[in-house]
Amino acid sequence: DPHHSKYVEGAKAGDFLNSLTGENYGNAVYTISITFKNQWQAWRSREAGGGYGGTFSSAAAANEYIQTQEKPEDWEVIETHTHLLLLKDPETGQTESTPVMMDFTSSKLRVSRDWNSQITMKGGDRFAGLWKLSSVTATSKTGNSWMNVATEFVGWAQEEDYKAAEALYETQNQS
C-alpha cells in the first residue's frame, strides 16, 4: 500500500520485504530453513484501533491473555507458523549473516505445513536443504485472488552454508 507509513518505494504485490530493514527481495528468495515454531498471536481488530498483544505457545495461553483485556471481543487469536531462515543471494552465492523470520498465517498455513512435510521427507537435518520461495497468485472458488507462497527444493546446502546453518540452529536450541 503506497499510502502506508512503512511502504517501501518500488514494492509491488508479491514482493518479499524485510519489515525491519525495508529491503525488497523481489518475488523470490533462496533460503535455508533453520527452525520452525507453531505459535499463536493475539491481535486487536483494526476497527478497535489495532495492535499486537503478544505471541504465545498455545491458543489457550493467547485466549487467557485476551480475557485480561478491557474489551476481549475486540481481540482475536491467529495461529502463526514462524520460520527462522538464512537467505542466500542467487547471484553472488553469499549467505546472509543475519537470519530472518518469516511468519505464515491464514492461507499460508497450508503452504507452511506442506513445506515442513517436504523438509521432513528429504531426510537429514532441517537446515541441510536450499529452497526457493516464490510468490504465486492464488484464487478462491469465488474468484477472489491474493498472493501466496510456493516452495521448491533447489538442492542440498553447500558445506559452508550447512555449517553456518548448523551453528545458528544450535544457538537457537540452547535452553
Side-chain angles (χ1 to χ4, degrees), residues 85-162:
L85 309 171
L86 275 179
L87 298 181
K88 185 170 179 88
D89 187 317
E91 293 176 21
T92 66
Q94 295 295 311
T95 302
E96 305 252 342
S97 58
T98 304
V100 298
M101 291 183 356
M102 182 179 284
D103 289 335
F104 290 69
T105 61
S106 189
S107 62
K108 290 170 184 59
L109 286 173
R110 181 191 53 78
V111 173
S112 177
R113 287 184 189 103
D114 289 349
W115 187 23
N116 281 325
S117 294
Q118 291 174 50
I119 290 170
T120 300
M121 290 186 312
K122 292 285 178 203
D125 294 317
R126 176 177 194 87
F127 46 85
L130 179 66
W131 296 84
K132 180 180 179 182
L133 306 182
S134 305
S135 294
V136 293
T137 302
T139 307
S140 70
K141 292 177 185 176
T142 60
N144 294 326
S145 63
W146 69 95
M147 299 309 296
N148 211 330
V149 178
T151 61
E152 176 187 345
F153 181 71
V154 176
W156 299 109
Q158 295 176 340
E159 186 174 352
E160 72 180 57
D161 293 340
Y162 177 87

Side-chain angles (χ1 to χ4, degrees), residues 15 19 25 30 34-35 37 64 67-68 70 75 87 109 116 120 122 125 131 145 159 161 173:
D15 284 353
S19 62
Y25 300 111
Y30 290 82
I34 306 299
T35 61
K37 288 183 182 175
E64 283 179 32
Q67 293 310 309
T68 68
E70 187 175 322
W75 291 81
L87 298 181
L109 286 173
N116 281 325
T120 300
K122 292 285 178 203
D125 294 317
W131 296 84
S145 63
E159 186 174 352
D161 293 340
N173 288 296

